Amino acid sequence: MNTQTYNAGEAATEISTVAVVGLGYIGLPTAAILAGKGLHVIGVDVNPYTVEAVNEGRVPFIEPDLGVHVAGAVSQGHLTAQGSVPEADAYIVAVPTPFQDDKTADLVYVEQAARNIAARIRPGNLVILESTSPPGTTRRMAEVILALRPDLSAEANGGKDAVLFAHCPERVLPGKIMIELVTNDRIIGGLTPEAATAAAGLYSTFCQGRIHLTDAATAEMAKLVENAYRDVNIAFANELSVISSNLGIDVWNLIELANHHPRVNILQPGPGVGGHCIAVDPWFIVSADPENSRLIRTAREVNDAKPGHVIAEVLTAVEGIKTPVIAALGLAFKANIDDTRESPAVEIVRRLAVENPNTRILVGRSFLGATLPDELAPLPNVVSTVTDEAIAAADAVVLLVDHDTFREIRPEQLAGKAVIDTRGFWRTTA
C-alpha cells in the first residue's frame, strides 16, 4: 500500500462506542480525548486502582491538563472504566510492550488483550493497536483474535462483515501529551486499505494534524525509526561527553561551539536514555534484522553504558570517605514528569546502592514525592527526603534530572560539596 494522505469524510464506518484497553500514559489520554468529542468510551485496565481513579474523575499519574479532560468526560457520562473488555464498535489496544532479556519484544500483554477482545468482537468492528511494536505485531494480534473466532475474517469481502485491523502508533512527548495528541500528524497502517481508512476516520474526530495512510508493518516500523533516529543522535552526544571527560574538555562548551556551524545541531548529553520509547524501540529494529542494524545497536549500547560512567564519576568524587552520603536529584526519565520507566536515574541510584552498601543515598523529592520506585523501595540505604535536606547532608550532589523545581537550589547550598551535573543544568542557569 503506497502512502496516502487521509481526507476527512472518506470512512463510512459508524463508531459510537470505543473500548480503550490499557489506561496508561497513552491509553487514558486517548480515551479522554475521544470522550471529549462525544463518543462513549469505556476504558479497560487490569489495575483496580486505575479503574477506581478514572471512574472518580481522577488521574493516577501526572500529565498536564489530563485531569481536566478526564474529570469533564466522566462528569458528562462519556467516559467510564472497568476491568473487563466490553462490546464496542472499535477497540484501541494501548498496553505495554516491554523487551525481554534478549532485547526482543515481549508481546504477552498484546496477545492477552487480543484474547479478551476476541470474546466480544463482532463483524465490522475496528481493532487498532497503538502500542509501539515490532513489524508484524498487528498481524499477530489479528491472528490471535481470528484463531479464537473462525467465524470472522480480516479480508474485505465486499466491506461489511470483515474485522478491520490497523496500527496507529502514538507520537507524543510526555508533559505535552494532551497538546500533541491533537496537533501532531498521525501515521495509520492497516492490514487492508479499508482498515486504514476506517481507523483514520476515528482519529480524524480529534486529530488536527495530517493523517498518513500506509500498511500496518510500515506504520509499525515508522515509529521505531523515529525513536532510533533520536537514539543515535543522543548516543553521539553521550559518547562526546565521555571522550571530553577523558580529555579534560568541557563538553557543554564544546557542543555549544560546534553548533555554531550552520549545519550542525548536536544534542545535549545526559546520564543515559530512558522512557518506554527511545530506550526500547531501537531494540525492536535490532531484533528484526540483527545483521544489518549495527549502527542502531551501537547507539543503544553507548546510551546503555552511560549510567556506568556517571557511577564512576560519583565514586571518584566520594573516594576516601568511609560512609559517604550522596544526594541524588531526580528519578524520572525526563524533566518535569513522574514517569520512571527505563529511567537511567533509577538505574544509577540502584547500582550505587547495591554495589556500595556503605553509601547512603538521599533522593531529593520532586514529582514523585516521598514514594520510591519499586526498584529502589526495598533498598535500606536509599531514602526519599526533602531536596534541601538531602543536599545539606550530602558529601556529593548528583543532578540526574533537570526538573524546574531544582532551579530553586542556591549556589551556596552546593558550596564545599562534590557536584556531578549530568545535564549541564547549573552551568546553563549560572
Side-chain angles (χ1 to χ4, degrees):
M1 178 179 177
N2 294 326
T3 301
Q4 304 171 8
T5 300
Y6 172 79
N7 295 314
E10 284 185 15
T13 305
E14 294 183 3
I15 295 174
S16 59
T17 303
V18 181
V20 178
V21 184
L23 296 178
Y25 289 89
I26 299 303
L28 184 53
T30 301
I33 288 284
L34 285 167
K37 295 300 180 180
L39 293 168
H40 177 48
V41 181
I42 305 167
V44 181
D45 203 277
V46 297
N47 188 333
Y49 170 75
T50 298
V51 171
E52 179 183 1
V54 172
N55 283 329
E56 293 176 354
R58 297 184 290 108
V59 177
F61 51 85
I62 294 175
E63 177 59 42
D65 301 325
L66 176 57
V68 174
H69 284 78
V70 170
V74 170
S75 67
Q76 292 171 5
H78 295 315
L79 175 62
T80 60
Q82 60 189 53
S84 59
V85 173
E87 287 190 356
D89 301 316
Y91 297 87
I92 296 176
V93 177
V95 297
T97 49
F99 57 66
Q100 305 181 87
D101 291 341
D102 63 356
K103 306 299 186 183
T104 59
D106 185 350
L107 301 180
V108 63
Y109 301 113
V110 173
E111 294 181 358
Q112 184 59 54
R115 287 190 288 270
N116 292 338
I117 290 171
R120 298 291 187 178
I121 202 165
R122 304 186 304 266
N125 281 175
L126 171 65
V127 183
I128 299 170
L129 178 64
E130 274 219 13
S131 306
T132 303
S133 315
T137 305
T138 304
R139 184 168 296 279
R140 173 58 185 159
M141 180 181 69
E143 290 170 350
V144 171
I145 291 174
L146 297 177
L148 294 170
R149 292 293 303 274
D151 56 310
L152 301 176
S153 168
E155 300 303 320
N157 291 336
K160 293 186 178 179
D161 293 335
V163 176
L164 303 172
F165 294 95
H167 181 64
C168 182
E170 52 82 13
R171 310 167 85 196
V172 295
L173 185 69
K176 297 182 179 180
I177 290 177
M178 302 312 293
I179 296 172
E180 295 198 348
L181 268 180
V182 174
T183 60
N184 285 0
D185 284 12
R186 298 297 294 243
I187 297 173
I188 295 180
L191 292 189
T192 62
E194 294 83 1
T197 301
L202 177 60
Y203 281 87
S204 68
T205 60
F206 66 85
C207 181
Q208 297 174 1
R210 289 187 175 183
I211 298 177
H212 309 277
L213 305 185
T214 184
D215 61 89
T218 302
E220 290 163 337
M221 188 66 169
K223 173 63 184 295
L224 305 182
V225 167
E226 292 165 6
N227 284 323
Y229 172 84
R230 296 170 66 196
D231 197 44
V232 169
N233 282 272
I234 295 170
F236 181 72
N238 279 336
E239 190 165 271
L240 275 183
S241 71
V242 175
I243 295 170
S244 298
S245 178
N246 291 338
L247 297 178
I249 295 171
D250 181 341
V251 68
W252 314 101
N253 185 48
L254 174 67
I255 291 174
E256 181 180 336
L257 292 172
N259 281 347
H260 283 293
H261 189 288
R263 289 173 294 280
V264 173
N265 184 24
I266 303 170
L267 302 180
Q268 299 299 302
V273 173
H276 187 63
C277 290
I278 302 180
V280 176
D281 297 356
W283 285 121
F284 294 168
I285 299 178
V286 174
S287 64
D289 189 355
E291 184 177 348
N292 295 303
S293 50
R294 295 188 296 273
L295 177 62
I296 296 171
R297 180 195 297 273
T298 299
R300 272 285 74 233
E301 291 170 347
V302 167
N303 287 330
D304 279 351
K306 189 63 192 294
H309 293 286
V310 175
I311 290 170
E313 280 189 90
V314 175
L315 294 179
T316 298
V318 298
E319 189 174 8
I321 302 175
K322 187 175 181 180
T323 55
V325 177
I326 298 168
L329 306 187
L331 292 178
F333 77 83
K334 67 182 294 291
N336 302 326
I337 64 172
D338 67 342
D339 193 344
T340 61
R341 289 178 296 174
E342 306 298 330
S343 173
V346 172
E347 176 65 7
I348 288 167
V349 172
R350 187 193 67 80
R351 286 178 54 184
L352 277 171
V354 171
E355 297 168 11
N356 304 275
N358 292 330
T359 298
R360 188 162 181 251
I361 302 175
L362 306 178
V363 177
R365 292 178 186 169
S366 52
F367 284 82
L368 295 175
T371 304
L372 289 172
D374 292 343
E375 302 95 318
L376 304 180
L379 302 177
N381 54 337
V382 179
V383 179
S384 176
T385 187
V386 177
T387 296
D388 288 349
E389 294 178 2
I391 294 172
D395 301 298
V397 178
V398 189
L399 184 105
L400 296 170
V401 187
D402 46 342
H403 290 311
D404 287 343
T405 55
F406 295 146
R407 295 189 185 280
E408 300 171 6
I409 297 170
R410 302 180 306 280
E412 56 265 28
Q413 292 179 264
L414 304 175
K417 302 178 185 297
V419 175
I420 298 91
D421 181 358
T422 70
R423 298 284 184 174
F425 185 71
W426 285 306
R427 179 182 184 275
T428 59
T429 57

